[in-house]
Amino acid sequence: GQNIDQPTEMTATEGAIVQINCTYQTSGFNGLFWYQQHAGEAPTFLSYNVLDGLEEKGRFSSFLSRSKGYSYLLLKELQMKDSASYLCAVEDSNYQLIWGAGTKLIIKP
Amino acid sequence: IAGITQAPTSQILAAGRRMTLRCTQDMRHNAMYWYRQDLGLGLRLIHYSNTAGTTGKGEVPDGYSVSRANTDDVPLTLASAVPSQTSVYFCASSAGATDTQYFGPGTRLTVL
């Protein structure tokens, strides 16, 4: 079967760095997405990785290792507004997105 | 209109009733999707449409139907609602079937 695993919840301190991991087992791989979802709102696109390595975009970076079926989202200089759920999704061989359940990130002052 | 809109924002429905959730996008995207999101589970694809006039089944299609008469709209219909269809429903669109998906604000549906 297809499976995306992420931690359910993480807590971090304002100004710090946090890494959210995602491991996957899917039928094929055509890319990996990270989305941010604030409570009661729609998911919004953060990043896309299709090749191994690190993609940096401001305070957010995303890493992919296809051989290990592993990705992480790195958030630097955390702000209170970063409190949200972070969703990992893999595009499978049919180009459909398989979604993890999301990681709820709590930022404390 | 800018982006994707969904209607209604929320709805309480009696079991057995028919309900249509509406979704409209103004980005001229070819592909559109319907997902449901339940606590503790990832988004699950209900139906999708890669282009106007075509639709396909996702992971959890039973009890739902979609149509795609034009590029902008993809209504989702529950023919006879059941309590297990209580969920938050998100519509999304992408330029093409392999492109980044952008989401509407969602519809919170409660079936009693």
Side-chain angles (χ1 to χ4, degrees), chain B residues 6-84:
Chain B
Q6 293 185 235
T9 302
S10 65
Q11 181 76 42
I12 299 174
L13 189 66
R17 298 296 295 269
R18 181 184 179 90
M19 176 72 191
T20 295
L21 308 183
R22 299 184 298 279
C23 173
T24 300
Q25 54 102 1
D26 66 354
M27 298 178 283
R28 308 303 295 173
H29 282 175
N30 286 313
M32 297 186 77
Y33 314 84
W34 275 105
Y35 291 94
R36 60 178 289 172
Q37 187 175 42
D38 301 291
L39 197 62
L41 299 177
L43 287 159
R44 291 183 291 169
L45 183 65
I46 304 170
H47 285 287
Y48 65 94
S49 169
N50 287 334
T51 188
T54 69
T55 61
K57 293 182 179 180
E59 179 187 357
V60 288
D62 293 344
Y64 306 94
S65 63
V66 288
S67 61
R68 186 88 183 277
N70 57 59
T71 297
D72 300 341
D73 305 292
V74 61
L76 177 73
T77 298
L78 289 68
S80 178
V82 295
S84 62

Side-chain angles (χ1 to χ4, degrees), chain A residues 33 35 37 40-45 48 87 91 95-102, chain B residues 35 37 40-43 45 48 57-58 90 97-105:
Chain A
F33 294 82
Y35 281 75
Q37 185 177 24
E41 297 183 7
T44 56
F45 170 73
Y48 171 68
L87 314 182
E91 196 167 41
Y95 293 97
Q96 290 189 358
L97 290 184
I98 309 301
W99 295 81
Chain B
Y35 291 94
Q37 187 175 42
L41 299 177
L43 287 159
L45 183 65
Y48 65 94
K57 293 182 179 180
F90 286 104
T98 63
D99 295 312
T100 300
Q101 295 183 19
Y102 297 93
F103 286 78

Side-chain angles (χ1 to χ4, degrees), chain A residues 12-85:
Chain A
T13 304
E14 190 177 16
I17 299 173
V18 71
Q19 177 175 312
I20 302 174
N21 296 326
C22 171
T23 58
Y24 63 88
Q25 290 180 307
T26 56
S27 56
F29 178 87
N30 282 303
L32 187 144
F33 294 82
W34 284 96
Y35 281 75
Q36 181 189 58
Q37 185 177 24
H38 285 100
E41 297 183 7
T44 56
F45 170 73
L46 285 178
S47 68
Y48 171 68
N49 294 69
V50 65
L51 300 176
D52 289 352
L54 189 68
E55 294 280 344
E56 297 185 81
K57 191 184 295 185
R59 293 189 298 115
F60 292 8
S61 303
S62 55
F63 172 83
L64 174 66
S65 169
R66 289 172 296 170
S67 63
K68 296 181 179 179
Y70 168 70
S71 173
Y72 68 73
L73 181 69
L74 191 70
L75 291 73
K76 302 176 185 177
E77 301 170 14
L78 286 169
Q79 302 175 10
M80 297 304 291
K81 67 179 182 179
D82 297 330
S83 293
S85 289

